[in-house]
Each structure stands twice: as structure tokens, then as C-alpha cells.
mmCIF file of all heavy atoms in Angstrom:
data_model
loop_
_atom_site.group_PDB
_atom_site.id
_atom_site.type_symbol
_atom_site.label_atom_id
_atom_site.label_comp_id
_atom_site.label_asym_id
_atom_site.label_seq_id
_atom_site.Cartn_x
_atom_site.Cartn_y
_atom_site.Cartn_z
ATOM 1 N N SER A 1 -6.263 26.530 5.607
ATOM 2 C CA SER A 1 -6.770 27.805 6.013
ATOM 3 C C SER A 1 -6.944 27.921 7.552
ATOM 4 O O SER A 1 -7.105 29.008 8.050
ATOM 5 C CB SER A 1 -8.131 28.129 5.344
ATOM 6 O OG SER A 1 -9.179 27.342 5.858
ATOM 7 N N LEU A 2 -6.907 26.776 8.195
ATOM 8 C CA LEU A 2 -7.095 26.777 9.647
ATOM 9 C C LEU A 2 -5.852 26.938 10.453
ATOM 10 O O LEU A 2 -5.845 27.584 11.505
ATOM 11 C CB LEU A 2 -7.836 25.433 10.062
ATOM 12 C CG LEU A 2 -9.203 25.191 9.436
ATOM 13 C CD1 LEU A 2 -9.740 23.843 9.934
ATOM 14 C CD2 LEU A 2 -10.162 26.327 9.749
ATOM 15 N N SER A 3 -4.797 26.356 9.971
ATOM 16 C CA SER A 3 -3.557 26.418 10.738
ATOM 17 C C SER A 3 -2.394 25.957 9.852
ATOM 18 O O SER A 3 -2.557 25.313 8.813
ATOM 19 C CB SER A 3 -3.630 25.541 11.996
ATOM 20 O OG SER A 3 -2.406 25.618 12.745
ATOM 21 N N ASP A 4 -1.188 26.362 10.268
ATOM 22 C CA ASP A 4 0.025 25.853 9.589
ATOM 23 C C ASP A 4 0.629 24.675 10.314
ATOM 24 O O ASP A 4 1.648 24.110 9.831
ATOM 25 C CB ASP A 4 1.043 26.953 9.526
ATOM 26 C CG ASP A 4 0.612 28.178 8.757
ATOM 27 O OD1 ASP A 4 -0.061 27.984 7.694
ATOM 28 O OD2 ASP A 4 0.772 29.330 9.209
ATOM 29 N N GLN A 5 0.072 24.334 11.523
ATOM 30 C CA GLN A 5 0.565 23.211 12.289
ATOM 31 C C GLN A 5 -0.583 22.382 12.795
ATOM 32 O O GLN A 5 -1.437 22.947 13.505
ATOM 33 C CB GLN A 5 1.462 23.670 13.438
ATOM 34 C CG GLN A 5 2.707 24.497 13.031
ATOM 35 C CD GLN A 5 3.526 24.862 14.222
ATOM 36 O OE1 GLN A 5 4.124 24.029 14.888
ATOM 37 N NE2 GLN A 5 3.500 26.144 14.556
ATOM 38 N N LEU A 6 -0.653 21.145 12.493
ATOM 39 C CA LEU A 6 -1.731 20.250 12.909
ATOM 40 C C LEU A 6 -1.133 19.092 13.670
ATOM 41 O O LEU A 6 -0.071 18.600 13.344
ATOM 42 C CB LEU A 6 -2.472 19.743 11.646
ATOM 43 C CG LEU A 6 -3.005 20.770 10.651
ATOM 44 C CD1 LEU A 6 -3.665 20.032 9.468
ATOM 45 C CD2 LEU A 6 -4.011 21.697 11.332
ATOM 46 N N GLU A 7 -1.887 18.644 14.674
ATOM 47 C CA GLU A 7 -1.455 17.558 15.493
ATOM 48 C C GLU A 7 -2.610 16.615 15.836
ATOM 49 O O GLU A 7 -3.738 17.077 16.111
ATOM 50 C CB GLU A 7 -0.835 18.038 16.825
ATOM 51 C CG GLU A 7 -0.345 16.938 17.774
ATOM 52 C CD GLU A 7 0.292 17.467 19.087
ATOM 53 O OE1 GLU A 7 0.998 18.488 18.959
ATOM 54 O OE2 GLU A 7 0.039 16.914 20.094
ATOM 55 N N VAL A 8 -2.334 15.334 15.764
ATOM 56 C CA VAL A 8 -3.345 14.306 16.113
ATOM 57 C C VAL A 8 -2.663 13.279 17.001
ATOM 58 O O VAL A 8 -1.537 12.880 16.800
ATOM 59 C CB VAL A 8 -3.937 13.660 14.865
ATOM 60 C CG1 VAL A 8 -2.897 12.888 14.084
ATOM 61 C CG2 VAL A 8 -5.107 12.752 15.227
ATOM 62 N N THR A 9 -3.385 12.874 18.033
ATOM 63 C CA THR A 9 -2.977 11.705 18.833
ATOM 64 C C THR A 9 -3.811 10.514 18.406
ATOM 65 O O THR A 9 -5.062 10.534 18.609
ATOM 66 C CB THR A 9 -3.153 12.000 20.370
ATOM 67 O OG1 THR A 9 -2.313 13.106 20.702
ATOM 68 C CG2 THR A 9 -2.766 10.760 21.150
ATOM 69 N N ALA A 10 -3.204 9.545 17.762
ATOM 70 C CA ALA A 10 -3.944 8.456 17.148
ATOM 71 C C ALA A 10 -4.206 7.317 18.099
ATOM 72 O O ALA A 10 -3.318 6.828 18.814
ATOM 73 C CB ALA A 10 -3.144 7.917 15.965
ATOM 74 N N ASN A 11 -5.438 6.897 18.179
ATOM 75 C CA ASN A 11 -5.843 5.703 18.935
ATOM 76 C C ASN A 11 -6.342 4.588 18.025
ATOM 77 O O ASN A 11 -7.011 3.645 18.475
ATOM 78 C CB ASN A 11 -6.807 5.985 20.022
ATOM 79 C CG ASN A 11 -8.124 6.620 19.480
ATOM 80 O OD1 ASN A 11 -8.432 6.420 18.313
ATOM 81 N ND2 ASN A 11 -8.835 7.359 20.312
ATOM 82 N N GLN A 12 -5.996 4.746 16.745
ATOM 83 C CA GLN A 12 -6.358 3.728 15.745
ATOM 84 C C GLN A 12 -5.436 3.978 14.512
ATOM 85 O O GLN A 12 -4.758 4.990 14.472
ATOM 86 C CB GLN A 12 -7.851 3.855 15.295
ATOM 87 C CG GLN A 12 -8.164 5.232 14.784
ATOM 88 C CD GLN A 12 -9.649 5.417 14.496
ATOM 89 O OE1 GLN A 12 -10.249 4.600 13.836
ATOM 90 N NE2 GLN A 12 -10.270 6.450 15.094
ATOM 91 N N ASP A 13 -5.461 3.072 13.576
ATOM 92 C CA ASP A 13 -4.706 3.305 12.351
ATOM 93 C C ASP A 13 -5.254 4.554 11.641
ATOM 94 O O ASP A 13 -6.479 4.820 11.723
ATOM 95 C CB ASP A 13 -4.794 2.099 11.400
ATOM 96 C CG ASP A 13 -4.031 0.884 11.997
ATOM 97 O OD1 ASP A 13 -3.203 1.063 12.876
ATOM 98 O OD2 ASP A 13 -4.250 -0.218 11.490
ATOM 99 N N PHE A 14 -4.389 5.289 10.943
ATOM 100 C CA PHE A 14 -4.723 6.602 10.541
ATOM 101 C C PHE A 14 -4.266 6.857 9.092
ATOM 102 O O PHE A 14 -3.176 6.453 8.706
ATOM 103 C CB PHE A 14 -4.046 7.667 11.471
ATOM 104 C CG PHE A 14 -4.526 9.065 11.309
ATOM 105 C CD1 PHE A 14 -5.605 9.525 12.026
ATOM 106 C CD2 PHE A 14 -3.838 9.957 10.527
ATOM 107 C CE1 PHE A 14 -6.064 10.804 11.886
ATOM 108 C CE2 PHE A 14 -4.285 11.208 10.388
ATOM 109 C CZ PHE A 14 -5.390 11.690 11.094
ATOM 110 N N THR A 15 -5.121 7.577 8.286
ATOM 111 C CA THR A 15 -4.743 7.958 6.907
ATOM 112 C C THR A 15 -4.698 9.460 6.795
ATOM 113 O O THR A 15 -5.640 10.141 7.219
ATOM 114 C CB THR A 15 -5.710 7.364 5.895
ATOM 115 O OG1 THR A 15 -5.681 5.938 6.008
ATOM 116 C CG2 THR A 15 -5.393 7.804 4.493
ATOM 117 N N LEU A 16 -3.619 9.950 6.237
ATOM 118 C CA LEU A 16 -3.480 11.412 5.973
ATOM 119 C C LEU A 16 -3.802 11.675 4.501
ATOM 120 O O LEU A 16 -3.112 11.190 3.599
ATOM 121 C CB LEU A 16 -2.074 11.915 6.277
ATOM 122 C CG LEU A 16 -1.835 13.406 6.086
ATOM 123 C CD1 LEU A 16 -2.652 14.198 7.089
ATOM 124 C CD2 LEU A 16 -0.382 13.766 6.299
ATOM 125 N N ASN A 17 -4.859 12.428 4.231
ATOM 126 C CA ASN A 17 -5.258 12.792 2.882
ATOM 127 C C ASN A 17 -4.550 14.050 2.418
ATOM 128 O O ASN A 17 -3.916 14.760 3.225
ATOM 129 C CB ASN A 17 -6.774 13.026 2.833
ATOM 130 C CG ASN A 17 -7.551 11.796 3.273
ATOM 131 O OD1 ASN A 17 -7.211 10.701 2.892
ATOM 132 N ND2 ASN A 17 -8.606 12.013 4.083
ATOM 133 N N LEU A 18 -4.662 14.346 1.119
ATOM 134 C CA LEU A 18 -4.094 15.563 0.603
ATOM 135 C C LEU A 18 -4.784 16.775 1.232
ATOM 136 O O LEU A 18 -5.996 16.857 1.356
ATOM 137 C CB LEU A 18 -4.237 15.644 -0.921
ATOM 138 C CG LEU A 18 -3.464 14.557 -1.735
ATOM 139 C CD1 LEU A 18 -3.784 14.765 -3.249
ATOM 140 C CD2 LEU A 18 -1.956 14.640 -1.540
ATOM 141 N N PRO A 19 -3.972 17.820 1.596
ATOM 142 C CA PRO A 19 -4.590 18.992 2.182
ATOM 143 C C PRO A 19 -5.464 19.835 1.192
ATOM 144 O O PRO A 19 -5.312 19.669 -0.019
ATOM 145 C CB PRO A 19 -3.357 19.830 2.616
ATOM 146 C CG PRO A 19 -2.223 18.885 2.610
ATOM 147 C CD PRO A 19 -2.540 17.859 1.543
ATOM 148 N N THR A 20 -6.278 20.650 1.739
ATOM 149 C CA THR A 20 -7.036 21.621 0.994
ATOM 150 C C THR A 20 -6.558 23.015 1.401
ATOM 151 O O THR A 20 -5.877 23.230 2.396
ATOM 152 C CB THR A 20 -8.570 21.497 1.242
ATOM 153 O OG1 THR A 20 -8.804 21.710 2.637
ATOM 154 C CG2 THR A 20 -9.031 20.112 0.833
ATOM 155 N N ASN A 21 -6.945 23.991 0.559
ATOM 156 C CA ASN A 21 -6.702 25.431 0.881
ATOM 157 C C ASN A 21 -5.221 25.721 1.129
ATOM 158 O O ASN A 21 -4.891 26.460 2.076
ATOM 159 C CB ASN A 21 -7.533 25.869 2.081
ATOM 160 C CG ASN A 21 -9.034 25.773 1.787
ATOM 161 O OD1 ASN A 21 -9.459 26.139 0.711
ATOM 162 N ND2 ASN A 21 -9.786 25.236 2.734
ATOM 163 N N MET A 22 -4.373 25.140 0.266
ATOM 164 C CA MET A 22 -2.945 25.541 0.276
ATOM 165 C C MET A 22 -2.553 26.083 -1.070
ATOM 166 O O MET A 22 -3.043 25.557 -2.099
ATOM 167 C CB MET A 22 -2.097 24.327 0.642
ATOM 168 C CG MET A 22 -2.140 23.911 2.132
ATOM 169 S SD MET A 22 -1.034 22.534 2.507
ATOM 170 C CE MET A 22 0.569 23.251 2.276
ATOM 171 N N GLU A 23 -1.711 27.096 -1.113
ATOM 172 C CA GLU A 23 -1.266 27.673 -2.341
ATOM 173 C C GLU A 23 0.218 27.259 -2.549
ATOM 174 O O GLU A 23 0.924 26.901 -1.581
ATOM 175 C CB GLU A 23 -1.394 29.198 -2.322
ATOM 176 C CG GLU A 23 -2.838 29.651 -2.161
ATOM 177 C CD GLU A 23 -2.939 31.152 -2.074
ATOM 178 O OE1 GLU A 23 -1.911 31.870 -2.185
ATOM 179 O OE2 GLU A 23 -4.110 31.650 -1.944
ATOM 180 N N ILE A 24 0.676 27.357 -3.761
ATOM 181 C CA ILE A 24 2.026 27.006 -4.091
ATOM 182 C C ILE A 24 2.988 27.862 -3.244
ATOM 183 O O ILE A 24 2.878 29.095 -3.169
ATOM 184 C CB ILE A 24 2.304 27.246 -5.605
ATOM 185 C CG1 ILE A 24 1.551 26.215 -6.420
ATOM 186 C CG2 ILE A 24 3.819 27.078 -5.897
ATOM 187 C CD1 ILE A 24 1.634 26.420 -7.903
ATOM 188 N N GLY A 25 3.887 27.194 -2.575
ATOM 189 C CA GLY A 25 4.830 27.809 -1.667
ATOM 190 C C GLY A 25 4.437 27.720 -0.169
ATOM 191 O O GLY A 25 5.254 28.017 0.661
ATOM 192 N N ASP A 26 3.218 27.285 0.054
ATOM 193 C CA ASP A 26 2.768 27.140 1.488
ATOM 194 C C ASP A 26 3.344 25.860 2.074
ATOM 195 O O ASP A 26 3.561 24.849 1.369
ATOM 196 C CB ASP A 26 1.226 27.010 1.556
ATOM 197 C CG ASP A 26 0.564 28.395 1.374
ATOM 198 O OD1 ASP A 26 1.237 29.395 1.329
ATOM 199 O OD2 ASP A 26 -0.691 28.372 1.248
ATOM 200 N N TRP A 27 3.586 25.903 3.412
ATOM 201 C CA TRP A 27 4.047 24.763 4.153
ATOM 202 C C TRP A 27 3.069 24.433 5.246
ATOM 203 O O TRP A 27 2.421 25.325 5.760
ATOM 204 C CB TRP A 27 5.395 25.048 4.794
ATOM 205 C CG TRP A 27 6.563 25.036 3.777
ATOM 206 C CD1 TRP A 27 6.982 26.127 2.992
ATOM 207 C CD2 TRP A 27 7.472 23.993 3.541
ATOM 208 N NE1 TRP A 27 8.058 25.733 2.231
ATOM 209 C CE2 TRP A 27 8.378 24.457 2.551
ATOM 210 C CE3 TRP A 27 7.610 22.678 4.014
ATOM 211 C CZ2 TRP A 27 9.409 23.655 2.069
ATOM 212 C CZ3 TRP A 27 8.629 21.894 3.543
ATOM 213 C CH2 TRP A 27 9.525 22.368 2.570
ATOM 214 N N LEU A 28 2.992 23.141 5.639
ATOM 215 C CA LEU A 28 2.123 22.762 6.692
ATOM 216 C C LEU A 28 2.849 21.632 7.485
ATOM 217 O O LEU A 28 3.396 20.684 6.864
ATOM 218 C CB LEU A 28 0.802 22.208 6.170
ATOM 219 C CG LEU A 28 -0.299 21.866 7.173
ATOM 220 C CD1 LEU A 28 -1.654 22.098 6.528
ATOM 221 C CD2 LEU A 28 -0.202 20.416 7.599
ATOM 222 N N ALA A 29 2.900 21.763 8.794
ATOM 223 C CA ALA A 29 3.557 20.758 9.650
ATOM 224 C C ALA A 29 2.438 19.824 10.196
ATOM 225 O O ALA A 29 1.408 20.277 10.648
ATOM 226 C CB ALA A 29 4.260 21.406 10.780
ATOM 227 N N PHE A 30 2.682 18.492 10.101
ATOM 228 C CA PHE A 30 1.739 17.531 10.563
ATOM 229 C C PHE A 30 2.448 16.682 11.641
ATOM 230 O O PHE A 30 3.451 16.040 11.329
ATOM 231 C CB PHE A 30 1.227 16.616 9.416
ATOM 232 C CG PHE A 30 0.306 15.522 9.921
ATOM 233 C CD1 PHE A 30 -0.909 15.760 10.433
ATOM 234 C CD2 PHE A 30 0.764 14.203 9.813
ATOM 235 C CE1 PHE A 30 -1.706 14.742 10.916
ATOM 236 C CE2 PHE A 30 -0.053 13.135 10.202
ATOM 237 C CZ PHE A 30 -1.278 13.408 10.836
ATOM 238 N N ILE A 31 1.930 16.701 12.840
ATOM 239 C CA ILE A 31 2.541 15.988 13.963
ATOM 240 C C ILE A 31 1.644 14.764 14.348
ATOM 241 O O ILE A 31 0.501 14.958 14.753
ATOM 242 C CB ILE A 31 2.709 16.936 15.201
ATOM 243 C CG1 ILE A 31 3.477 18.179 14.765
ATOM 244 C CG2 ILE A 31 3.396 16.215 16.311
ATOM 245 C CD1 ILE A 31 3.421 19.294 15.778
ATOM 246 N N PHE A 32 2.222 13.588 14.211
ATOM 247 C CA PHE A 32 1.492 12.359 14.474
ATOM 248 C C PHE A 32 1.997 11.743 15.761
ATOM 249 O O PHE A 32 3.163 11.399 15.886
ATOM 250 C CB PHE A 32 1.742 11.386 13.289
ATOM 251 C CG PHE A 32 1.019 10.069 13.436
ATOM 252 C CD1 PHE A 32 -0.366 10.008 13.132
ATOM 253 C CD2 PHE A 32 1.702 8.868 13.783
ATOM 254 C CE1 PHE A 32 -1.038 8.785 13.244
ATOM 255 C CE2 PHE A 32 1.028 7.714 13.862
ATOM 256 C CZ PHE A 32 -0.344 7.643 13.613
ATOM 257 N N VAL A 33 1.112 11.644 16.771
ATOM 258 C CA VAL A 33 1.466 11.208 18.096
ATOM 259 C C VAL A 33 0.809 9.871 18.384
ATOM 260 O O VAL A 33 -0.432 9.750 18.159
ATOM 261 C CB VAL A 33 1.043 12.231 19.180
ATOM 262 C CG1 VAL A 33 1.550 11.788 20.551
ATOM 263 C CG2 VAL A 33 1.629 13.618 18.821
ATOM 264 N N GLN A 34 1.570 8.931 18.845
ATOM 265 C CA GLN A 34 0.951 7.627 19.233
ATOM 266 C C GLN A 34 0.275 7.844 20.634
ATOM 267 O O GLN A 34 0.700 8.582 21.433
ATOM 268 C CB GLN A 34 2.045 6.564 19.406
ATOM 269 C CG GLN A 34 2.819 6.242 18.142
ATOM 270 C CD GLN A 34 2.096 5.352 17.168
ATOM 271 O OE1 GLN A 34 1.027 4.787 17.500
ATOM 272 N NE2 GLN A 34 2.616 5.205 15.949
ATOM 273 N N ASP A 35 -0.848 7.079 20.784
ATOM 274 C CA ASP A 35 -1.503 7.106 22.079
ATOM 275 C C ASP A 35 -0.662 6.272 23.066
ATOM 276 O O ASP A 35 0.438 5.842 22.741
ATOM 277 C CB ASP A 35 -2.948 6.641 22.032
ATOM 278 C CG ASP A 35 -3.102 5.212 21.531
ATOM 279 O OD1 ASP A 35 -2.059 4.514 21.338
ATOM 280 O OD2 ASP A 35 -4.244 4.750 21.341
ATOM 281 N N ASN A 36 -1.264 5.991 24.230
ATOM 282 C CA ASN A 36 -0.457 5.239 25.231
ATOM 283 C C ASN A 36 -0.383 3.732 24.981
ATOM 284 O O ASN A 36 0.156 2.970 25.776
ATOM 285 C CB ASN A 36 -1.008 5.521 26.630
ATOM 286 C CG ASN A 36 -2.518 5.199 26.788
ATOM 287 O OD1 ASN A 36 -3.058 4.563 25.879
ATOM 288 N ND2 ASN A 36 -3.101 5.573 27.868
ATOM 289 N N VAL A 37 -0.962 3.335 23.849
ATOM 290 C CA VAL A 37 -0.869 1.911 23.437
ATOM 291 C C VAL A 37 0.242 1.792 22.363
ATOM 292 O O VAL A 37 1.070 0.904 22.389
ATOM 293 C CB VAL A 37 -2.203 1.410 22.849
ATOM 294 C CG1 VAL A 37 -2.047 0.008 22.289
ATOM 295 C CG2 VAL A 37 -3.285 1.437 23.944
ATOM 296 N N GLY A 38 0.226 2.716 21.381
ATOM 297 C CA GLY A 38 1.224 2.707 20.344
ATOM 298 C C GLY A 38 0.927 1.711 19.169
ATOM 299 O O GLY A 38 -0.160 1.140 19.130
ATOM 300 N N ASN A 39 1.844 1.612 18.276
ATOM 301 C CA ASN A 39 1.745 0.756 17.108
ATOM 302 C C ASN A 39 0.546 1.126 16.199
ATOM 303 O O ASN A 39 -0.054 0.257 15.579
ATOM 304 C CB ASN A 39 1.611 -0.710 17.534
ATOM 305 C CG ASN A 39 2.958 -1.274 17.996
ATOM 306 O OD1 ASN A 39 3.979 -1.065 17.316
ATOM 307 N ND2 ASN A 39 2.939 -1.952 19.096
ATOM 308 N N ARG A 40 0.175 2.450 16.160
ATOM 309 C CA ARG A 40 -0.852 2.877 15.250
ATOM 310 C C ARG A 40 -0.191 3.194 13.940
ATOM 311 O O ARG A 40 0.765 3.910 13.818
ATOM 312 C CB ARG A 40 -1.534 4.154 15.767
ATOM 313 C CG ARG A 40 -1.999 4.021 17.246
ATOM 314 C CD ARG A 40 -2.996 2.891 17.419
ATOM 315 N NE ARG A 40 -3.556 2.928 18.818
ATOM 316 C CZ ARG A 40 -4.411 2.027 19.264
ATOM 317 N NH1 ARG A 40 -4.814 1.031 18.513
ATOM 318 N NH2 ARG A 40 -4.816 2.134 20.513
ATOM 319 N N ASN A 41 -0.683 2.549 12.830
ATOM 320 C CA ASN A 41 -0.094 2.711 11.510
ATOM 321 C C ASN A 41 -0.512 4.021 10.924
ATOM 322 O O ASN A 41 -1.674 4.487 11.110
ATOM 323 C CB ASN A 41 -0.506 1.573 10.619
ATOM 324 C CG ASN A 41 0.083 0.223 11.098
ATOM 325 O OD1 ASN A 41 1.219 0.177 11.512
ATOM 326 N ND2 ASN A 41 -0.738 -0.849 10.989
ATOM 327 N N LEU A 42 0.358 4.623 10.128
ATOM 328 C CA LEU A 42 0.062 5.863 9.432
ATOM 329 C C LEU A 42 0.245 5.645 7.938
ATOM 330 O O LEU A 42 1.280 5.200 7.460
ATOM 331 C CB LEU A 42 1.009 7.010 9.897
ATOM 332 C CG LEU A 42 0.902 8.329 9.188
ATOM 333 C CD1 LEU A 42 -0.499 8.896 9.333
ATOM 334 C CD2 LEU A 42 1.929 9.362 9.741
#
């Protein structure tokens, strides 16, 4: 309900949970960006 495009810059290992407030047919883009260290697991 907040946005159709989400972005996070990870500075640690990261877990993506199932979204909320989406209806059948909805799309959501998730952009995962490494910080300046890198090697953050998703």
C-alpha cells in the first residue's frame, strides 16, 4: 500500500519476507543494493 517500488541499501545480511497489502494481479519491484563493502547475502 506504500509503493510499487522499494529499495534498500544493505549493510548486513538481509531477508525479504512476503509482502502485505497486495491483491491478485499487483506487481512490486524490489531493488537490493550492496553497500560500499558488498557481499551482503539476500
Side-chain angles (χ1 to χ4, degrees):
S1 69
L2 299 180
S3 181
D4 299 318
Q5 300 183 69
L6 307 176
E7 179 178 319
V8 64
T9 298
N11 57 24
Q12 58 187 307
D13 291 345
F14 191 87
T15 298
L16 181 66
N17 301 317
L18 294 179
T20 60
N21 298 315
M22 288 182 66
E23 299 178 2
I24 293 175
D26 285 352
W27 287 82
L28 186 149
F30 175 67
I31 305 167
F32 182 75
V33 184
Q34 299 282 351
D35 63 4
N36 56 11
V37 175
N39 286 315
R40 309 301 185 182
N41 294 320
L42 176 59

